[in-house]
Amino acid sequence: MIPSNFEYKRVSSVNEALLHLSAGGDTKLLAGGHSLIPAMKLRLNSPATLIDIGRIPELKQIDISGETLSLGGGVTHGDIEHHAQIREVMPMLSEAAGLIGDPAVRNNGTLGGSLVHADPAADWPGVMIAANATIVVRSSGGQREIAADDFFKGFYTTDLQEGEILTEVRIPLNPTGTGKLVSVYEKFMQPASRFAIVGCAVVMRIDRGPTCTYARIGFSGVSDMAFRDTTLEGALMNQILSGDKIEEAVAQAAEGKDILSDPFASERYRKHLAKVYAKRALNRAVSM
């Protein structure tokens, strides 16, 4: 299908984009376009104006400074997949990026676009929750910093307000705890779209024993939005991570959550997969 008529504006800075956004009207931001354009073709979304932010240099920046990794909202999945330093300091990010779509999607789709779209089956929301990321948004009135835990509000719904642009994602690289920091992403994907039927992201510190001294676990694809599994984290903290202990802990994965059911996986099967992929992620983390 063909989208409705719209006005197209390409901008070269965030401030210029914010100026257009503040003018009001039915306006949408275009970055990679892999979520918005299909919706427009199906007439599920028919904005009067598109503001193309895909070539703003400040949104393309990747910076590892001290104990923080900063990713611009316009960084592509492919940028993250192939970045040598990211692969070294937080390999989970490169793993997740490499499992998204096909090369065309990875080379054009953006981190910020995926987070704002908040598809429950997208990889980045659960990964960013596990990474304890801070999501930075800007408007003509200033800047806000939102914890990833608080950014996702429901089915395709986030805390992003009208007139705001997601400009940056900040990830701490030295969380509290002792021992080695490891990060893992495991995913059971829908074979055509490669969206997550279940995705499990794990960031842990593992000390001698091996003992878990820090854990954050995020799930995508399981419920109507990505979520942090604090129950599973609690079952791991300060425990020696034997095979039996991991088996016991993952039995609690996704407990108390409303589980999705669709043509790809029933509620019962998806809940089972959450346990299976949590177990895989944790066993791989311990073996690193």
Side-chain angles (χ1 to χ4, degrees):
M1 294 181 66
I2 300 173
S4 301
N5 291 335
F6 58 88
E7 185 178 3
Y8 172 82
K9 298 178 184 293
R10 179 182 292 170
V11 297
S12 58
S13 70
V14 172
N15 286 338
E16 187 182 357
L18 290 172
L19 183 64
H20 287 298
L21 277 179
S22 65
D26 187 4
T27 301
K28 294 291 183 183
L29 298 174
L30 175 69
H34 284 277
S35 300
L36 179 59
I37 297 301
M40 290 175 62
K41 287 183 176 181
L42 293 170
R43 304 289 178 99
L44 298 174
N45 207 321
S46 299
T49 304
L50 280 186
I51 302 172
D52 187 345
I53 61 172
R55 300 187 186 186
I56 297 178
E58 66 182 286
L59 296 182
K60 297 289 189 180
Q61 294 180 0
I62 297 175
D63 181 62
I64 300 174
S65 178
E67 297 181 348
T68 303
L69 166 62
S70 171
L71 300 168
V75 168
T76 68
H77 315 311
D79 292 334
I80 298 171
E81 177 187 8
H82 299 296
H83 197 283
Q85 283 184 285
I86 292 176
R87 189 175 294 276
E88 180 180 346
V89 300
M90 188 68 71
M92 167 185 73
L93 302 179
S94 297
E95 290 177 1
L99 294 172
I100 294 173
D102 56 24
V105 171
R106 294 194 292 275
N107 290 333
N108 292 280
T110 64
L111 171 64
S114 176
L115 293 173
V116 169
H117 189 56
D119 189 316
D123 301 285
W124 288 130
V127 168
M128 291 304 162
I129 287 171
N132 196 20
T134 297
I135 295 170
V136 182
V137 301
R138 279 171 56 187
S139 70
S140 57
Q143 179 171 292
R144 288 197 300 142
E145 298 181 3
I146 311 161
D149 290 19
D150 302 323
F151 186 72
F152 305 102
K153 296 297 186 182
F155 192 62
Y156 291 98
T157 305
T158 72
D159 192 45
L160 191 75
Q161 304 299 309
E162 186 175 349
E164 290 182 328
I165 299 175
L166 191 158
T167 57
E168 183 186 4
V169 176
R170 298 174 186 160
I171 297 171
L173 299 177
N174 188 25
T176 58
T178 58
K180 183 180 179 181
L181 181 68
V182 296
S183 65
V184 169
Y185 184 60
E186 288 283 348
K187 171 182 175 179
F188 182 74
M189 68 179 71
Q190 201 280 335
S193 68
R194 291 169 64 91
F195 275 108
I197 294 174
V198 166
C200 181
V202 173
V203 177
M204 300 179 72
R205 279 200 181 279
I206 301 176
D207 210 341
R208 291 172 296 179
T211 300
C212 172
T213 63
Y214 172 90
R216 283 185 67 99
I217 299 172
F219 278 102
S220 294
V222 177
S223 190
D224 64 352
M225 66 176 187
F227 63 90
R228 180 183 175 190
D229 197 327
T230 55
T231 301
L232 178 51
E233 292 171 8
L236 297 166
M237 279 296 297
N238 301 314
Q239 299 295 316
I240 295 176
L241 299 177
S242 65
D244 288 345
K245 175 52 67 175
I246 290 174
E247 188 78 43
E248 177 186 329
V250 299
Q252 303 176 59
E255 284 299 317
K257 299 295 181 181
D258 292 328
I259 310 297
L260 290 174
S261 180
D262 56 32
F264 304 117
S266 67
E267 177 183 346
R268 181 179 179 183
Y269 185 45
R270 197 175 245 109
K271 189 170 185 178
H272 166 72
L273 287 173
K275 302 178 192 302
V276 169
Y277 278 78
K279 181 180 177 180
R280 289 188 182 186
L282 290 168
N283 280 328
R284 188 152 68 89
V286 171
S287 70
M288 294 175 74

